[in-house]
Amino acid sequence: MSFSTSGTLRPVILDDIRGAQKMLSGVARTTAMEGSRHLSRLVGAPVHLKCENLQRTGSFKLRGAYVRIAGLSPEERAAGVVAASAGNHAQGVALASSLLGVHSTVFMPMGAPLPKVAATREYGAEVRLHGQVIDETLAAAQEYARDTGAVFIHPFDHPDIIAGQGTVGLEILEQCPEVRTIVIGIGGGGLAAGIAVAVKALRPDVKLIGVQAEGAAAYPPSLSAGHPVSIDSPTTMADGIKVGRPGDVPFKIIGDLVDEVRTVSEDALSSALLLCLERAKLVVEPAGASPVAALLSDPRSFQGPVVALLSGGNVDPLLMQRILRHGMAAAGRYLSLRVRLTDRPGALAALLAALSVVDANVLDVSHVRTDPRLGLTEVEVELQLETKGPEHCEEVTTALREAGFTITG
């Protein structure tokens, strides 16, 4: 996804964010701050989760969208607003527009998850499906704005959007005044920029760490170059931070105020989502789990108390199913094996009995008999096992070898 803005826009200051906080009173929830004993043990210091996944519409996006649309002139409101989004921004714009009595049109990609399309409609927007990728959807929305006079609501590259998102930073300081490090997922940069303005103005000693997915990390090369640069074909399961170019407005703020930007792997993202679900009982989308992924990747590098921002919880159930499988595998909870056996009655039963002894749950079994590497009386069995973690995986493979089974893969 690639966005840009034109023209000179005013800087964002603390007073803008305080004004946005007053505007959002009664509109956006002050979301919960939950402690995590598991993450605290890993980090060696208190870790708190700021639960914007429990915000109205399921993410922080309502904050910025409402402030932006509320700031329009009566003439602009009468013309309506338009946005392009695959999910969270779409829902934020739809609800904000409905609350303010403004007509909204939201362009979404043809392949957008059906639950997100349905939610956007239910919040009051007219949804138009266009394009296979978000760049095509964006172009259609901008063309619609030019043709109709509707105001295009950018997801991150506008001072009002940044001011609205910055209210999360004020809440963090109010809820956890002893905080020393805040970890924030970064896509285009609106959320991180807003939090940075608020926090650094009031607590310049607090360290701000941004997190991007390895396959969609436009900020590290942009910060090195000193200006926003685009990356080709960003790829990650974390679609909420899958942005190919930093926003012009947030880029300068992040360059000046954010202390560090790290990247995390897809394995870390899926493990973080699984941890949030199992340990914190929170449904979090991959982008929202990116700060937790950073904590899991290098837990002892954070000065506590730490606040990790869970920015959203809108995840398609089918994607959740795939991610959980991936996370289980990354956490050593699944084990795939190929075991060579003599092709005779009772051989498979003996293998399954050996697995039962070490308490490995068999999820799937299949036979391979046509591989040219196999002898005439040999068969390979592919096994999918549910295990209890990396140590149990090692216990299973060791037990099979000691029982005389040949593991080939």
Side-chain angles (χ1 to χ4, degrees):
M1 168 181 353
S2 177
F3 296 100
S4 64
T5 188
S6 59
T8 301
L9 296 172
R10 69 184 186 279
V12 182
I13 60 174
L14 179 61
D15 284 347
D16 296 324
I17 298 172
R18 283 178 165 155
Q21 188 175 46
K22 292 178 182 177
M23 187 182 295
L24 288 168
S25 177
V27 175
R29 295 173 181 148
T30 299
T31 50
M33 182 87 76
E34 299 286 346
S36 172
R37 283 180 290 182
H38 179 71
L39 288 172
S40 297
R41 284 196 298 269
L42 291 177
V43 172
V47 175
H48 305 279
L49 305 175
K50 174 62 171 168
C51 301
E52 279 296 289
N53 59 310
L54 303 180
Q55 185 56 261
R56 296 177 72 179
T57 75
S59 88
F60 69 95
K61 289 287 190 176
L62 171 65
R63 297 173 184 261
Y66 188 90
V67 172
R68 174 76 173 101
I69 297 168
L72 298 178
S73 68
E75 294 77 17
E76 288 172 324
R77 290 195 189 194
V81 300
V82 61
S85 169
N88 290 347
H89 181 58
Q91 294 173 65
V93 168
L95 179 56
S97 299
S98 294
L99 293 173
L100 291 164
V102 176
H103 180 267
S104 63
T105 303
V106 176
F107 285 77
M108 303 182 77
M110 297 290 291
L114 293 179
K116 293 186 178 182
V117 174
T120 303
R121 287 195 173 113
E122 288 170 7
Y123 286 128
E126 175 188 346
V127 175
R128 300 192 179 192
L129 300 177
H130 184 94
Q132 298 301 317
V133 296
I134 194 65
D135 284 330
E136 296 172 0
T137 310
L138 171 65
Q142 291 175 324
E143 182 179 1
Y144 178 89
R146 289 190 295 269
D147 292 344
T148 66
V151 178
F152 180 68
I153 306 299
H154 200 285
F156 50 79
D157 213 1
H158 192 280
D160 290 344
I161 295 287
I162 293 170
Q165 321 305 27
T167 59
V168 179
L170 296 181
E171 288 181 17
I172 289 173
L173 294 183
E174 291 163 3
Q175 293 171 308
C176 186
E178 69 277 15
V179 64
R180 297 302 303 275
T181 305
I182 301 175
V183 192
I184 315 156
I186 297 182
L191 176 63
I195 291 174
V197 171
V199 170
K200 289 296 188 178
L202 297 170
R203 286 281 307 281
D205 60 302
V206 173
K207 187 171 184 179
L208 301 178
I209 298 178
V211 183
Q212 294 206 287
E214 286 178 354
Y219 264 88
S222 297
L223 292 169
S224 295
H227 58 83
V229 298
S230 298
I231 58 172
D232 294 330
S233 304
T235 304
T236 177
M237 69 175 75
D239 57 353
I241 54 174
K242 185 180 174 183
V243 178
R245 181 186 184 277
D248 295 325
V249 181
F251 175 77
K252 184 178 187 318
I253 296 171
I254 288 171
D256 290 342
L257 300 180
V258 172
D259 298 280
E260 184 183 352
V261 176
R262 300 186 184 186
T263 61
V264 292
S265 68
E266 298 296 286
D267 281 353
L269 286 168
S270 56
S271 295
L273 188 147
L274 182 63
L275 184 145
C276 289
L277 189 62
E278 284 193 321
R279 297 299 185 105
K281 314 306 178 192
L282 293 168
V283 176
V284 184
E285 63 190 87
S290 58
V292 175
L295 294 177
L296 293 177
S297 299
D298 192 3
R300 293 291 171 165
S301 65
F302 297 86
Q303 183 179 13
V306 178
V307 172
L309 175 57
L310 308 181
S311 58
N314 293 317
V315 57
D316 178 56
L318 294 176
L319 176 62
M320 170 73 89
Q321 188 177 41
R322 294 197 298 270
I323 292 170
L324 287 178
R325 280 202 210 99
H326 189 87
M328 294 276 279
R333 302 276 293 280
Y334 285 148
L335 177 61
S336 297
L337 291 176
R338 286 177 68 126
V339 181
R340 188 166 295 179
L341 303 174
T342 301
D343 194 6
R344 59 176 174 78
L348 179 59
L351 174 61
L352 296 179
L355 291 170
S356 176
V357 170
V358 289
D359 201 24
N361 186 35
V362 179
L363 300 175
D364 189 36
V365 180
S366 62
H367 288 75
V368 178
R369 287 188 168 88
T370 57
D371 193 313
R373 294 172 299 174
L374 294 173
L376 187 62
T377 60
E378 291 180 325
V379 62
E380 278 192 343
V381 176
E382 291 186 351
L383 296 163
Q384 301 292 325
L385 307 174
E386 183 182 10
T387 58
K388 301 171 185 177
E391 291 181 359
H392 191 211
C393 290
E394 185 63 30
E395 180 186 347
V396 170
T397 56
T398 299
L400 290 179
R401 290 190 176 102
E402 289 178 351
F405 294 100
T406 302
I407 297 174
T408 60

